[in-house]
Amino acid sequence: MNRLVPYIVVVLLVAVSACRQDMHDQDKYEALEKNEFFDDQRASRPRLPGTVARGHLQADDALYRGEVDGALVAQVPLAIDRALLARGRERFDIYCSPCHDRVGTGNGMIVQRGYKQPASLHDPRLRALPDGYFFQAITNGFGVMPSYAGQVPARDRWAIVAYIRALQLSQSAALAELDAADVDRLQRAGETQ
Amino acid sequence: MAQIFHPSTNTFSKVSIFGAVFLVGGLLWGLAVVNRSGYATQAGVAREQPVPFSHRHHSGELGLDCRYCHTSVEDSSSANIPPTQTCINCHAQIWADSPTLEPVRASYRSGESIQWVKVHDLPDFVYFDHSIHINKGIGCASCHGRVDEMNLVRQVSTLQMEWCVDCHRNPAAHVRPKEEVFNMSWFTQDQEALGARLVDEYHIESRDDCSVCHR
């Protein structure tokens, strides 16, 4: 029997060591993990008020606030090209379309579920407003619409503004303004519906 | 002296020597099966959460894009859990008096975090990065399954190294067009041809050296 003891010890050691998860769960914090050290238990620390992360200074009033010396920026302060509009469309569909719907008339799914209906983006009053107005609405919220500054970075907000302008144009363009190829595409799209 | 064992026990001993191979093999096989099972990997276990948030409702039925809440998934290693503010974006008006959502409102009032239960927890020695997978055409559903059909989220993959390495050695079997990454129901009949073309187009290197994930 005594001869068996070392074997039993080895087997037990292997069994016990296999249960340790030190390497799986190391003394470091993953994103958003709990940390008892801080009162709010957040390992990912919120930014201290009055501090700026390196490389994140937002000094450009036009780009980050949509107004210069109290006057709303008239036009998107970025180069407007196809890539920006495509980005704007993608971001609009993710963050705006739940309420504003994909063409901006304000009948999105969340509105259908009971949220207050926003004004149509094709309202003549909204069409006449400068680009900076839309940027500020996204940044600061407007009425019951919350701020989207936390979900959409500034450049993407401008891309969305550029796309809103494209939507406004698209929904009120006269047939005579289109070239033959676009008219043809519209007609074919109409036939397939 | 009389024989202790009857001659027929010879057969027993032969069979047991032969059978030991199968016995050991069977045990190893059993170990491998248990090791890959949901019991060991926690795959298939739906997690209770402090608020019974349904991905099926929000993503599947309402059609919210994954990125509406998981805003950092394209740019960061971590697909963030949204702040309570994101819930309140809609729930300031919708189900605003629901007792089920009281923990959300309490968190919003007090500023304290809702302590969501992590479902996909990789070992700390794995440095996984969501953004590179998203930006190279690996769909959410490829790893997370049809989250848009889950009420409570469960892990569908083993998250074991062999599972990672399977794809790293043959990404063509899983890569999809970048514009379909967030489409939960995307499917192609011809993954082989499409995958081969996209691996080329997106410059995807089949990398399985240790330091890709471990450092």
Side-chain angles (χ1 to χ4, degrees):
Chain A
M1 184 59 207
N2 278 343
R3 284 217 321 241
L4 278 178
V5 169
Y7 295 104
I8 293 170
V9 168
V10 167
V11 167
L12 282 177
L13 271 179
V14 169
V16 170
S17 66
C19 296
R20 296 189 57 163
Q21 293 287 310
D22 290 3
M23 289 296 281
H24 277 254
D25 228 348
Q26 299 168 12
D27 286 341
K28 66 175 183 184
Y29 292 99
E30 297 174 282
L32 306 179
E33 202 170 319
K34 186 174 179 175
N35 182 343
E36 305 277 2
F37 179 80
F38 297 103
D39 286 342
D40 62 8
Q41 305 192 328
R42 291 174 188 155
S44 303
R45 304 306 303 151
R47 215 170 5 191
L48 292 174
T51 60
V52 176
R54 200 174 172 86
H56 288 260
L57 181 62
Q58 302 186 340
D60 188 335
D61 277 339
L63 184 61
Y64 291 106
R65 279 166 285 283
E67 63 177 39
V68 177
D69 299 330
L72 288 169
V73 170
Q75 216 193 358
V76 176
L78 299 170
I80 299 175
D81 52 16
R82 200 177 183 85
L84 187 82
L85 288 174
R87 177 80 182 175
R89 177 184 193 160
E90 185 186 65
R91 300 293 124 172
F92 183 91
D93 286 351
I94 298 170
Y95 298 106
C96 312
S97 73
C99 288
H100 291 276
D101 76 49
R102 292 208 165 191
V103 285
T105 53
N107 293 305
M109 178 57 91
I110 304 304
V111 171
Q112 292 171 37
R113 303 286 299 197
Y115 208 88
K116 184 173 187 290
Q117 185 172 33
S120 166
L121 295 173
H122 310 293
D123 185 313
R125 184 182 65 85
L126 288 178
R127 284 171 56 87
L129 290 166
D131 288 359
Y133 177 88
F134 295 94
F135 178 84
Q136 289 197 343
I138 304 171
T139 307
N140 307 322
F142 181 86
V144 296
M145 173 179 155
S147 160
Y148 274 81
Q151 280 156 284
V152 189
R155 282 169 196 279
D156 281 347
R157 277 175 251 154
W158 282 118
I160 289 173
V161 173
Y163 181 63
I164 289 174
R165 289 306 194 198
L167 275 181
Q168 289 174 335
L169 196 63
S170 78
Q171 295 299 300
S172 58
L175 197 59
E177 294 173 39
L178 303 180
D179 60 26
D182 283 338
V183 172
D184 187 47
R185 273 177 60 203
L186 268 181
Q187 277 170 347
R188 274 190 285 121
E191 282 161 16
T192 53
Q193 270 176 3
Chain B
M1 192 174 114
Q3 283 186 343
I4 297 172
F5 295 104
H6 189 268
S8 68
T9 51
N10 286 347
T11 317
F12 279 115
S13 69
K14 281 174 190 161
V15 166
S16 59
I17 289 168
F18 182 68
V21 176
F22 292 96
L23 186 71
V24 172
L27 279 174
L28 287 174
W29 177 78
L31 196 66
V33 167
V34 169
N35 200 28
R36 288 168 177 77
S37 71
Y39 175 75
T41 65
Q42 297 293 299
V45 180
R47 300 283 177 181
E48 290 287 334
Q49 299 286 354
V51 186
F53 177 85
S54 167
H55 276 81
R56 186 171 76 119
H57 177 62
H58 290 84
S59 168
E61 292 165 6
L62 298 180
L64 291 175
D65 191 285
C66 309
R67 292 164 286 183
Y68 185 88
C69 301
H70 301 289
T71 49
S72 71
V73 71
E74 294 169 291
D75 312 307
S76 158
S77 59
S78 131
N80 62 302
I81 300 299
T84 304
Q85 170 64 54
T86 306
C87 310
I88 295 295
N89 279 358
C90 296
H91 289 294
Q93 289 198 16
I94 295 175
W95 296 104
D97 300 319
S98 160
T100 316
L101 295 183
E102 180 51 29
V104 177
R105 293 190 295 271
S107 161
Y108 188 68
R109 284 193 301 267
S110 68
E112 282 175 26
S113 304
I114 302 173
Q115 302 202 1
W116 299 102
V117 177
K118 190 162 185 163
V119 179
H120 297 78
D121 194 12
L122 290 173
D124 284 2
F125 48 78
V126 175
Y127 293 78
F128 176 81
D129 191 313
H130 273 96
S131 65
I132 188 64
H133 292 86
I134 297 292
N135 289 306
K136 292 285 184 180
I138 300 300
C140 308
S142 295
C143 301
H144 293 287
R146 292 298 299 272
V147 173
D148 62 323
E149 293 174 352
M150 298 179 195
N151 282 321
L152 289 175
V153 171
R154 62 183 185 276
Q155 177 187 318
V156 295
S157 317
T158 65
L159 299 187
Q160 285 172 333
M161 183 167 141
E162 66 174 2
W163 172 79
C164 303
V165 169
D166 269 352
C167 185
H168 272 228
R169 289 193 175 142
N170 183 23
H174 299 282
V175 67
R176 58 172 77 186
K178 287 180 188 177
E179 58 274 17
E180 304 293 351
V181 164
F182 296 93
N183 178 353
M184 299 306 282
S185 57
W186 182 85
F187 176 74
T188 177
Q189 296 284 354
D190 194 14
Q191 179 66 39
E192 207 175 332
L194 179 74
R197 184 169 66 75
L198 292 179
V199 161
D200 199 38
E201 193 178 314
Y202 296 162
H203 308 291
I204 297 174
E205 292 177 52
S206 169
R207 296 194 53 191
D208 63 354
D209 44 305
C210 310
S211 65
V212 173
C213 310
H214 307 291
R215 51 192 73 152

